[in-house]
Amino acid sequence: MTDSGDRAGTYTLEEILSQPPTWKRCLAALDESGELRRLAAPLSRDGECLFVGCGSSFYLGLIAAATWTLLTGEPARAVPASEILLFPGLLSRRFRAILVSRSGRTSEMIEAGDYLKRLDQTASLAITCGTRTPIEEVASRTIRLPEGDEGSTVMTRSFTSMLLALQMLAGERANARDFLNQIRTLPGEMESRIEGIDSLIRRLVDSRAFEDYVFLGQGPFYGVAQEAMLKIKEMSCSYAQCFHTLEFRHGPKAIVSARTLITFFLSESGFESEVSVLEEMKDLGATTLVVANQASAAVRRSADSLIELSLPVAELARPAAFIVPAQLLGFHTGVRKGLDPDKPRYLSRVVMLENTDGDSGRGAP
Ligand code: F1P
């Protein structure tokens, strides 16, 4: 029980479980306004598309960048805002920035956006769940998703809602009508699955405690693995790591034991190779959780817990759904440890550094 007498994590759990209807509202608002179609076409094709964010917003940028390149064929990458401030020399010569920030207030983001604006590059586009926040002043256009906002400190439905919006933007850019329609079906598809996912994760968390958590994914699922790692750290103060799935063989596997929970976010493109890592780690004695769209016999043999989503959508439309089990894993693990995910230790909803004026070590553009 918290000080107020509420149960720990009440609104964080509600917000995680509210994702399908929240996505539906966000997508309906975007479709109604026609904003994504209007914004996608005029974006310059010169240079790369740079997704900028901090924390979860950076990780969703990783998934958005992978989606952008795979759908449009145009180069894209994600960087934390701090990289722009501390190592501006690493920016490519031509790029257009997409600034991602739930709050629209994170000071590193505002400073990086301001720096990019003064660079006289192609204008930046921002996406935020806030309304009339400072990020709008450093971007030339802003996609607002107030429906995706949340009361929680940790980002859950804002992450998936902004991710879906950026994936829709990529779909509009590529004129990928099938992809766009598949994203639109996700809320309905996940509505019927989310309670089952919650029950399975609760059972796993109740069954035992783990010392280490490892999250593995490749391609667009690498950003999912990063975000999963952040969720369990933020909500349960657990030790967690993340790798590209096949990278786990190159040293990190030394930590495997039954008290290490390894979560595999299986792609379709890399399925066979990733499943062979899963089998190897199971043989070494790991405890495994697998999130897959369709499991094979080999996956069933090696997965201690399996979430098989069976979504009738292409691989690239699945990352938002894949992150849901990880949000629930972080939440229930935190509650099991006696923590309150509504009040994560040391964290605040927005990171505002007191001095953001010229203290970042970068020169003037
Ligand atoms: C995002 C962020 C979160 C993190 C923390 C502070 O900021 O870094 O990822 O969980 O609560 O804020 P933003 O998206 O609002 O810029």
Side-chain angles (χ1 to χ4, degrees), residues 50 91 122 158 168 177 194 221 228-229 241 262 274 326:
L50 193 66
L91 285 169
T122 314
S158 62
M168 293 288 281
R177 303 326 303 174
I194 200 159
F221 300 98
M229 173 188 70
Q241 307 177 65
I262 308 187
E274 292 167 26

Tab-separated table of all heavy atoms in Angstrom, residues 50 91 122 158 168 177 194 221 228-229 241 262 274 326:
chain	number	residue	atom	x	y	z
A	50	LEU	N	16.915	11.788	-39.119
A	50	LEU	CA	17.553	11.637	-37.813
A	50	LEU	C	16.497	11.725	-36.714
A	50	LEU	O	15.891	12.780	-36.510
A	50	LEU	CB	18.554	12.788	-37.652
A	50	LEU	CG	19.567	12.707	-36.539
A	50	LEU	CD1	20.539	11.559	-36.789
A	50	LEU	CD2	20.342	14.031	-36.455
A	91	LEU	N	27.356	14.592	-36.608
A	91	LEU	CA	26.160	14.743	-37.461
A	91	LEU	C	26.565	14.617	-38.921
A	91	LEU	O	27.646	15.070	-39.320
A	91	LEU	CB	25.543	16.131	-37.243
A	91	LEU	CG	24.779	16.342	-35.941
A	91	LEU	CD1	24.467	17.823	-35.744
A	91	LEU	CD2	23.494	15.531	-35.942
A	122	THR	N	17.485	21.443	-42.946
A	122	THR	CA	16.058	21.286	-43.217
A	122	THR	C	15.312	21.328	-41.883
A	122	THR	O	15.766	20.765	-40.894
A	122	THR	CB	15.811	19.920	-43.877
A	122	THR	OG1	16.778	19.770	-44.889
A	122	THR	CG2	14.427	19.848	-44.457
A	158	SER	N	2.440	6.272	-23.996
A	158	SER	CA	2.968	7.372	-24.824
A	158	SER	C	4.019	6.826	-25.790
A	158	SER	O	4.125	7.264	-26.934
A	158	SER	CB	3.570	8.472	-23.944
A	158	SER	OG	4.662	7.962	-23.198
A	168	MET	N	3.319	5.282	-38.929
A	168	MET	CA	2.322	5.712	-39.920
A	168	MET	C	2.919	6.789	-40.840
A	168	MET	O	2.647	6.815	-42.037
A	168	MET	CB	1.081	6.285	-39.221
A	168	MET	CG	0.265	5.304	-38.426
A	168	MET	SD	-0.676	4.123	-39.420
A	168	MET	CE	-2.086	5.095	-39.930
A	177	ARG	N	0.218	1.325	-48.437
A	177	ARG	CA	-1.173	1.281	-47.980
A	177	ARG	C	-1.457	0.039	-47.133
A	177	ARG	O	-2.180	0.100	-46.139
A	177	ARG	CB	-2.162	1.311	-49.152
A	177	ARG	CG	-2.124	2.448	-50.158
A	177	ARG	CD	-1.752	3.816	-49.732
A	177	ARG	NE	-2.495	4.470	-48.690
A	177	ARG	CZ	-2.168	5.658	-48.162
A	177	ARG	NH1	-1.111	6.321	-48.585
A	177	ARG	NH2	-2.877	6.187	-47.206
A	194	ILE	N	-4.581	-8.617	-24.642
A	194	ILE	CA	-3.765	-7.983	-23.603
A	194	ILE	C	-3.999	-8.603	-22.212
A	194	ILE	O	-3.043	-8.763	-21.432
A	194	ILE	CB	-3.943	-6.438	-23.622
A	194	ILE	CG1	-2.750	-5.778	-22.906
A	194	ILE	CG2	-5.273	-5.985	-23.073
A	194	ILE	CD1	-2.533	-4.325	-23.271
A	221	PHE	N	13.446	-4.836	-33.782
A	221	PHE	CA	13.215	-5.366	-32.433
A	221	PHE	C	14.375	-5.089	-31.481
A	221	PHE	O	14.277	-5.363	-30.291
A	221	PHE	CB	12.887	-6.870	-32.499
A	221	PHE	CG	11.662	-7.109	-33.327
A	221	PHE	CD1	11.758	-7.497	-34.658
A	221	PHE	CD2	10.402	-6.870	-32.801
A	221	PHE	CE1	10.630	-7.668	-35.443
A	221	PHE	CE2	9.259	-7.029	-33.573
A	221	PHE	CZ	9.375	-7.435	-34.895
A	228	ALA	N	12.598	-2.506	-23.401
A	228	ALA	CA	12.249	-3.527	-22.404
A	228	ALA	C	13.229	-3.469	-21.235
A	228	ALA	O	12.845	-3.549	-20.058
A	228	ALA	CB	12.278	-4.904	-23.057
A	229	MET	N	14.507	-3.302	-21.568
A	229	MET	CA	15.535	-3.198	-20.527
A	229	MET	C	15.243	-1.991	-19.621
A	229	MET	O	15.330	-2.072	-18.395
A	229	MET	CB	16.905	-3.044	-21.183
A	229	MET	CG	18.008	-2.751	-20.205
A	229	MET	SD	19.548	-2.352	-21.044
A	229	MET	CE	19.176	-0.762	-21.761
A	241	GLN	N	20.174	-5.999	-19.037
A	241	GLN	CA	21.028	-5.688	-20.178
A	241	GLN	C	20.286	-5.979	-21.467
A	241	GLN	O	19.293	-6.699	-21.464
A	241	GLN	CB	22.268	-6.565	-20.166
A	241	GLN	CG	23.025	-6.535	-18.865
A	241	GLN	CD	24.201	-7.472	-18.906
A	241	GLN	OE1	25.135	-7.280	-19.668
A	241	GLN	NE2	24.140	-8.513	-18.109
A	262	ILE	N	16.163	-14.578	-19.802
A	262	ILE	CA	16.496	-14.017	-21.124
A	262	ILE	C	15.210	-13.923	-21.942
A	262	ILE	O	14.542	-14.934	-22.176
A	262	ILE	CB	17.516	-14.885	-21.893
A	262	ILE	CG1	18.732	-15.164	-21.014
A	262	ILE	CG2	17.922	-14.186	-23.179
A	262	ILE	CD1	19.863	-15.871	-21.727
A	274	GLU	N	17.961	-16.597	-34.898
A	274	GLU	CA	17.660	-16.178	-33.529
A	274	GLU	C	17.216	-17.387	-32.691
A	274	GLU	O	17.572	-17.501	-31.512
A	274	GLU	CB	16.582	-15.081	-33.540
A	274	GLU	CG	17.096	-13.782	-34.156
A	274	GLU	CD	15.994	-12.774	-34.476
A	274	GLU	OE1	14.928	-12.804	-33.842
A	274	GLU	OE2	16.215	-11.947	-35.386
A	326	ALA	N	6.823	-6.674	-22.125
A	326	ALA	CA	7.970	-6.161	-21.362
A	326	ALA	C	7.538	-5.083	-20.370
A	326	ALA	O	8.063	-4.992	-19.257
A	326	ALA	CB	9.025	-5.611	-22.319
